[in-house]
Amino acid sequence: MGKIVIDPITRIEGHLKIEATVEGGVVKEAKSSGMLWRGIELILKNRDPLDAQRITQRICGVCPTAHSTASTLNLDSAFGVDDKIPDNGRIIRNLIFGSNFLQSHILHFYHLTALDFVDVTAVAGYSGKDPHLMQVKKFIDGGALAPFVPRYEGDYRLPKQVNIDATRHYVEALNMRTLAHELLAIFGGHMPHNMSMMPGGVTENVSIDKIASFRWKLEKLRHFIDNIYIPDVLAVAGVYSDYFSIGGGCGNFLTYGVFDMDSQPDLTKRKRLFPNGLTSVKDGLKPDALDPSKITEQVKHSWYSSGTDLHPSKGETKPDLKKEGAYSWLKSPRYDGKVYEVGPLARQVNAYIRGVEPTKTIIDSVLKKFNAGPSALVSVLGRHAARAIEAKIVADEMAKWVLQLKPGEPVFAEYKVPESSEGMGITDAPRGALGHWIRIKNHKIDNYQAIVPTTWNGGPRDDSGQPGPFEQALEGTKVKDEKNPFELVRIVRSFDPCLACAIHVINPKGTELNRFILN
């Protein structure tokens, strides 16, 4: 029996440590440890409630728009304007958020995970004149291989020409992400950390010029998604089809839903492009309704002395790094005491089983292509496919939404900061279910809690010993080479968590066997 320690996992944001105990080439136990402490909730205490939507964006540099959305919904609720958002305000919020979704999904596939499957060294023999490939070839021929290597070796299967094409797309995707940021800035002001979202709507007015500029940039992104992103994901899936049965995880899925279609004040009943809900592989993918009162956070194995199994509206943030038995700064969110995975896969599975179009038609066509059933979605490749499908759906809907804007009509509703109130803002970030809860006293923030997607997916064991989604996805995995555990990073990265920079391999006594840098 040996132990593999990956600390930190790279090509994702933040600092995540994974420990895997391996016996007979199979992971018997896995631990997921968040190694950085945020403490945003303490920073917000006693501040003006309007500071929340600005400060919470600083939780994450990749998806600040998700936090501005959740925080703004939270304040809508607390200020009593959640049913008064003008259509222009609601649509602009969706366009801002959608722009970030597109950027995030392109980022995840090309710049965080593609290098797990694409062999960029195939470009070394390239003799053409494509500027993107010439740029990469110059780095490789000059020996300056970062960020492409160091890397895990031993399982690159794509044909040479596909590797060359995917490498060109890696560079092109950088330009597409820039374009998505520019798209967001049209109505958001700038990126990261937009300044437009606010309680009651947005601050940016509508004009014909902004509509035209937005649609023009969006069409370029739609072309990239339809003709490059989706075909690249399908190419990887065709060669790595065994990953349709690897990294399944807990099999329970939760989503708050995202992209508001109306201003129903009850967020569990608000119509959204991707609806809220729950489902489980164990019950035959039967849909279930969402009840936010059943959400709690447990802390037995987290570095907190806070009360455990508390609803986030009563949540506490009391750090305790010396806590016995703890191994993560992440808490363990649970729904009705059960472990749930969140993210694009959860959203698309939930929409699929509810017959939501075009999700159902697109997923059916993908499954038919690979002669697979819906259970194949619960996998590493299922998560990648869900992101690509979602990017297409969101981009296509954005093209419709921007034409629904009406110049000259209101973009926000008036509000007042109440002396005392409570609020809840639940939506889905690109990475999954995101919730913000606020309690206001004497016009100040008395308590603020946020449960982010990676807390759901990457949290440690809970009070009853149930492993989190990362941990369950890793356990049972066959590892071909314990000194080169490419299977483990592919599984973890498929969730799009927050990670960082080096890897260690140790034996059960804790003696280091090898050390190497992984980019």
Side-chain angles (χ1 to χ4, degrees):
M1 181 178 291
K3 182 179 287 188
I4 298 172
V5 179
I6 307 175
D7 180 21
I9 291 181
T10 58
R11 270 193 274 117
I12 29 190
E13 182 177 337
H15 192 123
L16 186 75
K17 172 184 175 182
I18 294 292
E19 297 181 56
T21 302
V22 179
E23 182 178 358
V26 177
V27 177
K28 296 298 182 181
E29 181 182 271
K31 287 186 176 181
S32 169
S33 303
M35 303 305 290
L36 292 174
W37 183 52
R38 186 179 63 217
I40 287 286
E41 293 91 346
L42 299 184
I43 294 173
L44 285 167
K45 193 172 178 63
N46 294 321
R47 299 185 72 102
D48 188 314
L50 292 172
D51 288 347
Q53 65 200 47
R54 303 278 80 88
I55 293 175
T56 57
Q57 291 192 66
R58 274 69 184 174
I59 289 174
C60 177
V62 174
C63 53
T65 314
H67 288 286
S68 72
T69 301
S71 183
T72 301
L73 292 172
N74 195 16
L75 297 182
D76 285 344
S77 171
F79 296 177
V81 293
D82 40 6
D83 60 344
K84 299 179 177 62
I85 314 300
D87 285 344
N88 271 352
R90 173 183 57 79
I91 293 168
I92 289 175
R93 286 181 178 182
N94 285 344
L95 295 174
I96 292 171
F97 203 8
S99 301
N100 184 235
F101 259 72
L102 302 185
Q103 185 279 145
S104 183
H105 287 352
I106 292 170
L107 160 67
H108 177 257
F109 181 72
Y110 284 100
H111 305 128
L112 302 182
T113 65
L115 298 181
D116 287 336
F117 305 98
V118 175
D119 185 2
V120 297
T121 62
V123 179
Y126 177 72
S127 58
K129 296 184 178 180
D130 183 280
H132 294 328
L133 290 174
M134 290 174 66
Q135 185 177 0
V136 175
K137 186 177 185 298
K138 181 179 179 181
F139 278 101
I140 291 177
D141 290 348
L145 302 181
F148 306 117
V149 296
R151 63 182 187 178
Y152 286 124
E153 303 289 347
D155 192 36
Y156 289 99
R157 311 176 196 170
L158 293 171
K160 181 176 180 179
Q161 188 57 49
V162 176
N163 280 315
I164 291 174
D165 290 343
T167 302
R168 181 176 67 252
H169 300 159
Y170 176 101
V171 180
E172 189 173 349
L174 292 169
N175 296 328
M176 291 300 105
R177 288 174 55 201
T178 298
L179 189 63
H181 285 323
E182 293 173 354
L183 194 68
L184 189 155
I186 291 172
F187 290 112
H190 59 80
M191 174 67 189
H193 315 316
N194 81 83
M195 298 301 293
S196 182
M197 287 195 188
M198 58 175 284
V202 296
T203 61
E204 192 70 25
N205 286 315
V206 178
S207 71
I208 295 296
D209 287 347
K210 290 173 185 174
I211 292 172
S213 177
F214 193 96
R215 184 64 188 264
W216 181 76
K217 292 178 185 293
L218 178 61
E219 288 308 302
K220 289 188 175 182
L221 281 162
R222 292 177 71 192
H223 182 272
F224 178 85
I225 291 166
D226 288 346
N227 297 288
I228 297 178
Y229 180 14
I230 290 177
D232 280 349
V233 172
L234 293 176
V236 169
V239 176
Y240 290 90
S241 58
D242 49 320
Y243 277 83
F244 275 120
S245 59
I246 294 175
C250 65
N252 297 329
F253 299 102
L254 178 150
T255 172
Y256 296 146
V258 63
F259 299 115
D260 292 343
M261 299 291 102
D262 62 31
S263 296
Q264 157 68 246
D266 184 343
L267 293 179
T268 65
K269 297 179 180 177
R270 183 171 289 185
K271 183 179 179 181
R272 287 177 161 171
L273 175 63
F274 300 122
N276 69 66
L278 306 96
T279 188
S280 173
V281 174
K282 299 171 185 176
D283 65 10
L285 292 177
K286 179 182 177 181
D288 198 4
L290 175 71
D291 180 357
S293 70
K294 294 182 179 181
I295 299 168
T296 63
E297 285 188 295
Q298 300 181 12
V299 298
K300 182 177 181 179
H301 294 287
S302 307
W303 284 308
Y304 295 98
S305 59
S306 312
T308 194
D309 207 32
L310 299 177
H311 186 269
S313 64
K314 296 178 171 57
E316 300 174 344
T317 306
K318 300 176 181 178
D320 182 5
L321 185 55
K322 297 182 179 180
K323 182 177 177 180
E324 186 176 352
Y327 61 91
S328 180
W329 280 114
L330 279 65
K331 297 179 182 179
S332 302
R334 295 294 181 261
Y335 182 90
D336 201 18
K338 299 177 182 178
V339 181
Y340 280 85
E341 176 180 335
V342 303
L345 179 59
R347 285 191 292 272
Q348 296 310 308
V349 166
N350 183 65
Y352 178 77
I353 63 173
R354 294 171 186 269
V356 175
E357 295 292 358
T359 293
K360 190 175 189 310
T361 296
I362 296 175
I363 289 180
D364 279 339
S365 67
V366 172
L367 293 174
K368 183 177 180 180
K369 178 179 177 65
F370 294 101
N371 194 27
S375 60
L377 295 170
V378 187
S379 64
V380 169
L381 284 180
R383 294 185 187 98
H384 290 304
R387 280 188 182 83
I389 291 168
E390 185 168 90
K392 173 176 174 52
I393 294 172
V394 171
D396 289 350
E397 292 301 314
M398 289 169 66
K400 302 173 187 175
W401 294 337
V402 71
L403 298 181
Q404 295 170 6
L405 292 172
K406 297 178 180 179
E409 293 198 2
V411 294
F412 70 94
E414 296 286 347
Y415 63 84
K416 291 184 179 180
V417 177
E419 181 178 359
S420 299
S421 184
E422 292 189 3
M424 175 183 74
I426 54 174
T427 186
D428 261 40
R431 289 179 172 124
L434 172 63
H436 285 211
W437 287 261
I438 191 171
R439 183 170 65 242
I440 300 170
K441 284 188 177 180
N442 298 320
H443 301 286
K444 300 292 185 182
I445 297 175
D446 183 62
N447 193 29
Y448 202 101
Q449 294 291 314
I451 302 182
V452 304
T454 299
T455 312
W456 280 101
N457 289 334
R461 282 161 169 71
D462 59 23
D463 294 3
S464 59
Q466 296 181 103
F470 284 3
E471 296 172 336
Q472 292 193 37
L474 291 166
E475 291 177 355
T477 299
K478 293 181 180 180
V479 179
K480 184 177 180 180
D481 180 359
E482 293 183 21
K483 293 185 178 182
N484 195 34
F486 52 79
E487 302 92 345
L488 304 188
V489 291
R490 285 173 177 169
I491 290 170
V492 174
R493 287 195 183 111
S494 73
F495 287 88
D496 192 13
C498 298
L499 310 174
C501 176
I503 184 172
H504 307 276
V505 182
I506 63 172
N507 66 18
K509 294 183 180 180
T511 304
E512 184 174 288
L513 301 177
N514 197 2
R515 176 180 292 201
F516 51 97
I517 301 298
L518 171 67
N519 288 310

